[in-house]
Amino acid sequence: MSLKRILVTGGLGFIGSETVIALLKEGYEPIVVDDLYNAKEVVLDRIETISGRHPLFYKIDCCDERALEAAFKENELDAVIHFAGYKAVGESVAKPTKYYSNNLGSALTVLRLCNRYRIHSIVFSSSATVYGVPERVPLFETDPLRDATNPYGETKVMIERILRDAAKADPTLNVALLRYFNPIGGHPSGLLGEDPNGIPNNLMPYICQVAVGKLPYLRVYGDDYKTPDGTGVRDYIHVVDLAEGHVATLKKLEKDPGLVVYNLGTGKGTSVLELVRAFEKANGIEIPYKIEARRPGDVDMNYANCDKAFRELGWKARLTIEDACRDAYNFQKKNPNGIE
Ligand code: WQD
């Protein structure tokens, strides 16, 4: 079955907007839903500048079923890619109710509307946090889901379970669970990138703000982890590669539907200091840093085995850490105060 019209919830966000670009490039027709809680409507204009197309946009909170139903009613949708959700790990610890009600509420609303409008393909934006504290690395899709170290991660575990049960109960429902590792970088044009509100929680946007002088130095959270240089190791994947993984997944659901789970990473672990060095080399700039105490909840190492995505989707990450460092810095330089 051919999937053409794709509803992309959270489609103006960091990963969502890059995925809209990748969908347009492959001839799909993305319809964008975003409540602008963590994104700006001007991203639509930037999508048009890059792709020449201005996708249909609905400013909607995905928990608002009546509002979201309009997007289903007015478009003959073929599939949904569900990105919409709160994603700040630290905030989720402080405000669990906000995270459970929003993230579970929006996913259940999307699922109910897919049932009502007979949309048989759902791609869910899951996360490596569903593996909890890994017993060993690399992580395989067959590894058990563990207690996530925070409510944000718990919502991803719960939504995966909800979608699995829904697919079990309805054999016509095809579900793809995509477990992202650490997305970094931005569109090579510098028009799209990671644009956090306030002081960045994540490593790469923090490094970028040090690079442009908005922050004095990088705080390295701990150098006594069980890793080669003592700093935390993660699987950093270029957001453009991640976006293309979603297109490859849609093609898989068109050909060979069912319930599928994939790790979307590079298969390689990179430490904090290795990322700093890669950034300095890629951009010819020095990043001052200070070693500080560990951040609660951080794990030593977390990276993926991505052989399954290559075997079944023919997809693998092709851009390098240096490419991502260059694209992230380019975005930061072009948007010193974020997307305005
Ligand atoms: C990476 C490494 C830190 C900031 C989280 C979520 C994950 C996804 C990505 C949403 C760690 C170190 C960081 C800093 C540092 N989010 N660090 N100084 O925690 O691996 O993953 O964000 O989808 O779901 O869990 O990413 O970038 O915060 O940290 O030393 O200022 O960088 O200790 O080792 P994380 P991160």
Side-chain angles (χ1 to χ4, degrees), residues 31-240:
I31 290 112
V32 176
V33 165
D34 203 300
D35 66 358
L36 304 181
Y37 173 83
N38 194 20
K40 293 168 184 128
E41 192 166 349
V42 71
V43 167
L44 270 176
D45 301 331
R46 297 185 174 205
I47 289 172
E48 182 170 17
T49 305
I50 293 168
S51 67
R53 302 274 305 281
H54 196 99
L56 194 53
F57 169 61
Y58 292 82
K59 181 178 179 300
I60 290 177
D61 172 351
C62 285
C63 293
D64 178 346
E65 182 162 337
R66 278 176 48 76
L68 187 58
E69 181 151 26
F72 283 75
K73 202 176 281 177
E74 293 162 14
N75 301 281
E76 297 267 308
L77 299 174
D78 298 308
V80 177
I81 302 181
H82 182 52
F83 289 107
Y86 298 151
K87 55 161 238 172
V89 169
E91 185 189 39
S92 79
V93 175
K95 302 178 182 168
T97 310
K98 171 180 174 173
Y99 272 68
Y100 285 116
S101 39
N102 180 69
N103 290 8
L104 300 183
S106 56
L108 285 164
T109 304
V110 165
L111 184 55
R112 272 197 304 276
L113 288 168
C114 284
N115 289 343
R116 196 174 305 156
Y117 286 83
R118 307 230 181 300
I119 292 159
H120 302 295
S121 296
I122 299 178
V123 177
F124 174 57
S125 157
S126 190
S127 164
T129 43
V130 302
Y131 294 113
V133 182
E135 295 225 323
R136 51 130 181 81
V137 282
L139 284 153
F140 292 79
E141 289 85 354
T142 46
D143 284 339
L145 302 193
R146 293 178 200 286
D147 284 352
T149 54
N150 54 78
Y152 156 78
E154 276 305 321
T155 65
K156 296 295 188 183
V157 172
M158 293 174 180
I159 296 166
E160 284 204 7
R161 289 212 175 96
I162 289 166
L163 292 173
R164 276 178 191 282
D165 289 348
K168 258 188 233 144
D170 171 4
T172 71
L173 178 63
N174 306 306
V175 168
L177 306 174
L178 301 183
R179 293 170 180 168
Y180 311 151
F181 282 71
N182 289 55
I184 56 171
H187 191 269
S189 65
L191 289 170
L192 296 177
E194 195 167 3
D195 180 21
N197 301 323
I199 305 277
N201 294 306
N202 291 142
L203 179 59
M204 180 60 98
Y206 201 107
I207 291 175
C208 288
Q209 291 197 16
V210 171
V212 296
K214 277 188 82 169
L215 293 167
Y217 60 87
L218 170 68
R219 301 178 305 166
V220 176
Y221 296 140
D223 66 347
D224 57 351
Y225 285 104
K226 291 192 284 303
T227 63
D229 66 14
T231 62
V233 168
R234 297 290 184 276
D235 186 333
Y236 296 99
I237 174 170
H238 197 299
V239 66
V240 170

